[in-house]
Amino acid sequence: MTNNRYPGFGVLLVDDEAPFLRSLSIALERQGINHLYRCTDSREVMATIAREPIGLVLLDLTMPHLSGEELLARIKEEHPDIGAIIISGLNQLETAVNCIRLGAYDYFVKTMEEDRLIGGIRRAIQAQEMRQENQEMRRRFLTDTLEKPEAFADIVTQDKTMRSVFQYLEAIAVSRQPVLICGESGVGKELIARAIHRLGDAQGPMVSVNVAGLDDNVFADTLFGHHRGAFTGADRARAGMIEQAAGGTLFLDEIGDLSQASQVKLLRLLQEGEYYPLGSDRPKRLRARIVVATHQDLARKQQDGGFRKDLYYRLRIHQVEIPPLRRRKGDLPLLLAHFLAEAAEELGKSVPTLPRELPVLLANYEFPGNVRELRALVFDAMSRHRSHMLSMEVFRQALGQDNPTLVPQDEPEQPLFSQLDTLPTLQQAGELLVAEAMRRAQGNQSLAARLLGISQPALSKRLKKNTGED
């Protein structure tokens, strides 16, 4: 199967010297680049491209029958989306410039250091991956489709922003680059990580590690493992989480709390694609995709010196922001029904009837704990439920509706009337406030009164006065 081959597209090596092809293949496979095709006859190149899923071609410049330049021109004419690198036995500046003009990604001389050549191929692969991902994103957003909706089955939502996140994740599913998931606590970042794991058709497992509070030694031992005798008490070898996640996904949660020393180790792992178990001088290859998550603002943290800039830019190659629940209030009815059914099944009870005011009450709460908080509230209410109708009082107490939170916590406060040229009168302001409370409460006077901090009779009196009733 090709699921364990990297990159997702094929890399075609073309050279009439078979020994060079073999040595280059071995060097690439040693670096984890193993989705390779080899061709020693330049006349077979175009047929191979038509037959196999080729995304990058490495062309020898001087070959019998067809030269690298001729093949480059044909490839760019017939398959413009395929990347190409020229590898020559001679350092010819004029030829190199012409190849770049024809569309080659880069030009290398065979005699140069192997590390430079491999590094150039890696950069070309990454550039090709980004191009394919951008094309896929444009296609998905234009068609508004999801090809693998089952990957997101655990995420209850009908929100358009969340759907855009799903489309983006599908577009980057074939990439091996890390993914940074941002969002407040409780929005479901681990569910997103599991969706990424499913989308990649990984053969290995998803392994989750919460790195908050891990000191440097524990972090290294947890991720890299150790050999027997690596430190006092290491009486036997232990595989690290990276090795356990081979062929799958390694999910690092709360990455914003990682110490500076551990950040250096993670950066090297991402850059080199290899690591050393404690007590070993032989490196192991990284064979898992890295997905990280944080509730912190990493951009601000790296500006303040709390997070390494190079690691931040390495992690944010693919980044998604999960919106808080207060920005997806349309999901509240779905989530409420989902958690009620879940709680009823777990507690062995029937799903109760909902008070008509409950959705309105929830819609006027900001949920600082997001989806996790809503789930906890529903389970708490269900554990106390005794009658046919679910009690509203449980939610009123939990949500503190005597002192409701109406302003999103992540939005800066602005003077309420700063955009008005003239101030409303006290009477006009009162009428506007009452009207807004009734709108938010969807006509429920009891709830509107709580939002305003007055009694229900007092609100009723104001409403009658505003409408001119006696």
Side-chain angles (χ1 to χ4, degrees):
M1 297 181 68
T2 61
N3 288 335
N4 288 326
R5 300 170 73 180
Y6 176 77
F9 51 81
V11 179
L12 177 59
L13 314 180
V14 184
D15 198 303
D16 61 312
E17 298 178 8
F20 176 75
L21 282 186
R22 282 196 298 272
S23 64
L24 180 57
S25 297
I26 292 171
L28 289 171
E29 288 172 349
R30 196 183 301 128
Q31 296 297 316
I33 302 171
N34 58 1
H35 196 173
L36 303 176
Y37 299 85
R38 292 185 289 187
C39 182
T40 56
D41 189 335
S42 59
R43 294 170 296 183
E44 299 176 359
V45 170
M46 299 308 294
T48 302
I49 290 175
R51 185 175 65 251
E52 306 292 349
I54 305 300
L56 179 66
V57 182
L58 276 64
L59 291 169
D60 182 26
L61 189 61
T62 307
M63 295 181 291
H65 311 300
L66 293 171
S67 70
E69 281 187 84
E70 291 176 286
L71 279 172
L72 175 62
R74 287 189 60 181
I75 290 170
K76 286 302 175 182
E77 180 180 354
E78 298 179 27
H79 305 277
D81 290 337
I82 293 179
I85 290 178
I86 296 294
I87 301 179
S88 172
L90 301 173
N91 189 358
Q92 299 172 312
L93 179 60
E94 185 178 345
T95 304
V97 171
N98 188 52
C99 289
I100 299 298
R101 189 179 294 122
L102 286 171
Y105 179 81
D106 216 332
Y107 181 104
F108 293 99
V109 179
K110 290 181 179 179
T111 55
M112 70 171 45
E113 296 176 3
E114 183 181 281
D115 289 348
R116 290 182 60 193
L117 175 59
I118 300 297
I121 295 171
R122 276 193 172 281
R123 288 191 297 273
I125 288 173
Q126 291 171 5
Q128 193 67 4
E129 284 177 336
M130 293 299 290
R131 173 189 287 182
Q132 291 184 353
E133 288 161 14
N134 289 335
Q135 291 175 341
E136 185 65 12
M137 276 188 282
R138 284 197 296 270
R139 183 185 71 80
R140 289 179 191 274
F141 289 140
L142 287 173
T143 59
D144 194 27
T145 59
L146 284 177
E147 293 186 0
K148 292 186 177 181
E150 65 277 5
F152 308 100
D154 293 340
I155 305 172
V156 180
T157 184
Q158 60 183 5
D159 185 72
K160 290 183 178 180
T161 303
M162 291 296 289
R163 185 176 179 84
S164 296
V165 169
F166 296 166
Q167 290 173 326
Y168 174 75
L169 294 179
E170 280 195 341
I172 65 171
V174 296
S175 172
R176 290 278 292 273
Q177 299 301 316
V179 182
L180 172 60
I181 306 171
C182 299
E184 297 177 7
S185 294
V187 294
K189 296 187 287 295
E190 185 164 356
L191 291 178
I192 294 294
R194 292 193 180 281
I196 295 170
H197 176 69
R198 293 192 190 104
L199 288 170
D201 294 326
Q203 300 301 299
M206 174 174 161
V207 177
S208 302
V209 184
N210 189 319
V211 301
L214 297 184
D215 64 32
D216 185 50
N217 291 329
V218 176
F219 173 80
D221 187 34
T222 301
L223 260 63
F224 306 146
H226 61 255
H227 280 198
R228 181 180 179 183
F231 50 83
T232 302
D235 52 355
R236 60 180 178 178
R238 186 182 67 81
M241 295 297 189
I242 297 175
E243 189 171 343
Q244 294 177 34
T249 304
L250 178 64
F251 175 52
L252 304 179
D253 200 5
E254 303 298 351
I255 197 71
D257 295 322
L258 203 60
S259 69
Q260 288 282 343
S262 296
Q263 289 177 34
V264 174
K265 289 182 171 63
L266 180 58
L267 176 63
R268 187 184 184 284
L269 174 69
L270 296 175
Q271 285 181 334
E272 305 299 329
E274 62 183 26
Y275 63 97
Y276 290 86
L278 299 182
S280 172
D281 57 359
R282 297 183 62 182
K284 289 189 174 184
R285 294 299 305 170
L286 169 64
R287 303 191 185 279
R289 187 175 192 181
I290 304 293
V291 178
V292 303
T294 182
H295 68 278
Q296 300 190 38
D297 186 345
L298 288 191
R300 180 177 298 174
K301 193 163 185 178
Q302 61 92 14
Q303 290 175 354
D304 296 339
F307 201 84
R308 291 182 63 94
K309 290 185 179 181
D310 43 10
L311 177 58
Y312 170 67
Y313 291 120
R314 176 72 64 170
L315 290 174
R316 71 185 297 271
I317 291 175
H318 299 309
Q319 179 177 351
V320 291
E321 181 79 30
I322 311 304
L325 185 54
R326 63 179 170 274
R327 293 184 188 161
R328 22 186 294 228
K329 291 290 184 69
D331 283 344
L332 278 171
L334 285 176
L335 289 165
L336 183 59
H338 174 75
F339 291 141
L340 278 171
E342 187 180 31
E345 182 179 359
E346 185 172 318
L347 297 171
K349 297 182 178 182
S350 299
V351 176
T353 301
L354 294 181
R356 194 165 48 111
E357 306 85 25
L358 180 56
V360 182
L361 178 70
L362 296 179
N364 283 279
Y365 181 62
E366 296 302 327
F367 286 100
N370 291 291
V371 180
R372 183 186 296 135
E373 182 183 8
L374 175 61
R375 183 179 186 275
L377 288 174
V378 171
F379 269 72
D380 184 32
M382 279 297 296
S383 67
R384 306 187 204 181
H385 172 61
R386 294 292 181 271
S387 63
H388 177 70
M389 180 80 70
L390 191 67
S391 172
M392 278 282 291
E393 198 57 36
V394 173
F395 288 92
R396 289 192 185 112
Q397 291 174 4
L399 303 184
Q401 279 298 317
D402 292 335
N403 296 290
T405 304
L406 297 179
V407 180
Q409 295 180 355
D410 62 345
E411 294 182 6
E413 293 186 11
Q414 294 182 351
L416 188 59
F417 302 110
S418 61
Q419 303 299 318
L420 300 180
D421 293 330
T422 58
L423 289 175
T425 64
L426 284 174
Q427 181 177 346
Q428 290 171 333
E431 291 173 357
L432 290 171
L433 191 57
V434 167
E436 176 62 16
M438 289 295 292
R439 184 191 69 79
R440 295 193 181 201
Q442 299 181 19
N444 186 295
Q445 289 191 22
S446 296
L447 180 56
R450 288 194 186 91
L451 295 176
L452 292 169
I454 60 177
S455 67
Q456 195 273 332
L459 174 61
S460 180
K461 184 177 180 181
R462 282 178 174 270
L463 289 171
K464 289 180 180 179
K465 181 179 179 182
N466 291 346
T467 56
E469 296 182 12
D470 293 333

